[in-house]
Amino acid sequence: MIYLDNAATSKFKPRCMFDAMFCRLSDSANPGRGGHNDSLDCAIMVNDARATLKTLFGADDDYHIVFTSGCTEALNLAIFGYLADNIGGNVVTTVFEHNSVLRPLNNLLQRNVIDGIRYVSPSDPSQCVSAEDVAKYVDGNTRLIAVNHVSNVTGATADIERIGELANSMNIPLLVDGAQSLGHKRLNVGKNKISMLAAAGHKGLHGSQGAGFLIFRKDMKVRPIRFGGTGTFSDSLIQPEDAPEGLESGTMNTAGVIGLGAAAQWTYDNFDKINSHIGYLASQALYGLSKIDGITVYTKTLSGVISFNVNGVDSSEVADYLNDNEIAVRNGLHCAPLAHRFLGTEKQGTVRMSIGYNNNAYHVSRTLDVLEKFCKLPRP
Ligand code: PMP
């Protein structure tokens, strides 16, 4: 199988991630749940992973990091946890958001916790959401700006640096969905004035599924969304709210988070190699797609996330044909319905090929050949 679905989860994982996970799984203990040496050793490794991830993303002592099951939980924690104390007012977000931002926000709107959601569309043909685009929607009642860094539909990339400056100048917290950008972009939460950064471990950071994190400023109150054992204040019937423990109730995915620390470090140690490889293959793919009659391409970046359609054909039909030819892509709406409203592809969806470190030039040229054949098939 030629795997071109790396935006769903990366196929390639570095050896150091398996070693770290194997080591933990074959010598399990529960961190923060005992005073014995095995538990303490494990807690030290979890804290090393926290320190590694904080350093990689420029989070100094002003920031907390909380481990989550993935980016969905990180975004839910950021949105429900922060807006719990900031009711009323509006939230400014973008048309490129994933349902893991759109659904929590709309749940808050339905329950009248917030008064409105404003969706920013990019004004530039590059599809880059700029600070100027965001500024048009922000006012004195804006409680939060939530921006997807790299779209999981088209790879459109928001100008986080300037949006961070805008948010900071207006004293409004900025939440960044880094699900598709981490590992592919260098982000520094301090310098980029990001108040909360939500991450998936299993995509560009090359970790396992089931581990992600939220980095957030210590001066922001983020309430727990999960209640239970924290290993702290066990005599109290009231949930402790101190980060990280108060926001990480329950036994954590210890092997996953320690593996994520190792995988993310490996990724940033090899950042240029990985991303120039992906950029090269993305330009090969975009050039090839532009030469095939009957294909519309929606992507404007070299991020490796490429959405396209065969004109007049449902995206599922194209993906099925590619699958029959041993090529794995994703079709449909990619859990980002407003992006499709923006692109005009609500009905058809798009075919998404997403390139990763596992891919090579043959994978791209073979996919282009199969697509060319598909486009030439007789149709009623
Ligand atoms: N945001 C974006 C942009 C995504 O692409 C995804 C995953 N498809 C998520 C959030 C949710 O991440 P996870 O599946 O790790 O919870």
Side-chain angles (χ1 to χ4, degrees), residues 7 70-72 75 98 100 148 150 152 177 179-180 200 202-203:
C71 200
T72 301
L75 289 163
H98 189 269
S100 47
N148 174 290
V150 172
N152 63 313
D177 175 355
Q180 296 293 341
H202 63 104
K203 299 180 193 262

Side-chain angles (χ1 to χ4, degrees), residues 7-8 69-75 96-101 148-153 177-180 199-203 210-212 330 334-335 352:
S69 61
C71 200
T72 301
E73 190 188 343
L75 289 163
F96 289 124
E97 301 312 307
H98 189 269
N99 275 337
S100 47
V101 169
N148 174 290
H149 191 191
V150 172
S151 162
N152 63 313
V153 179
D177 175 355
Q180 296 293 341
H202 63 104
K203 299 180 193 262
R330 191 175 164 192
H334 318 287
C335 304
R352 180 186 74 186

Side-chain angles (χ1 to χ4, degrees), residues 244-297:
E245 297 86 359
L247 307 183
E248 288 176 342
S249 283
T251 297
M252 74 164 50
N253 173 5
T254 311
V257 303
I258 292 171
L260 171 55
Q265 184 66 59
W266 178 90
T267 301
Y268 278 88
D269 287 347
N270 291 279
F271 185 89
D272 291 338
K273 192 166 71 173
I274 295 166
N275 289 296
S276 59
H277 179 72
I278 292 173
Y280 173 78
L281 296 181
S283 56
Q284 181 194 352
L286 286 169
Y287 178 75
L289 288 169
S290 75
K291 295 282 159 212
I292 302 176
D293 270 351
I295 285 191
T296 302
V297 178

Side-chain angles (χ1 to χ4, degrees), residues 197-219:
L197 172 65
H202 63 104
K203 299 180 193 262
L205 294 177
H206 302 110
S208 68
Q209 295 174 1
F213 57 87
L214 179 71
I215 289 176
F216 64 95
R217 287 190 60 85
K218 286 184 179 168
D219 57 12

Side-chain angles (χ1 to χ4, degrees), residues 56-97:
L56 286 176
F57 300 109
D60 60 15
D61 275 351
D62 292 340
Y63 287 86
H64 286 301
I65 178 167
V66 168
F67 285 119
T68 61
S69 61
C71 200
T72 301
E73 190 188 343
L75 289 163
N76 273 256
L77 177 59
I79 292 168
F80 289 120
Y82 176 69
L83 290 173
D85 288 320
N86 291 280
I87 58 175
N90 63 71
V91 174
V92 172
T93 189
T94 82
V95 295
F96 289 124
E97 301 312 307

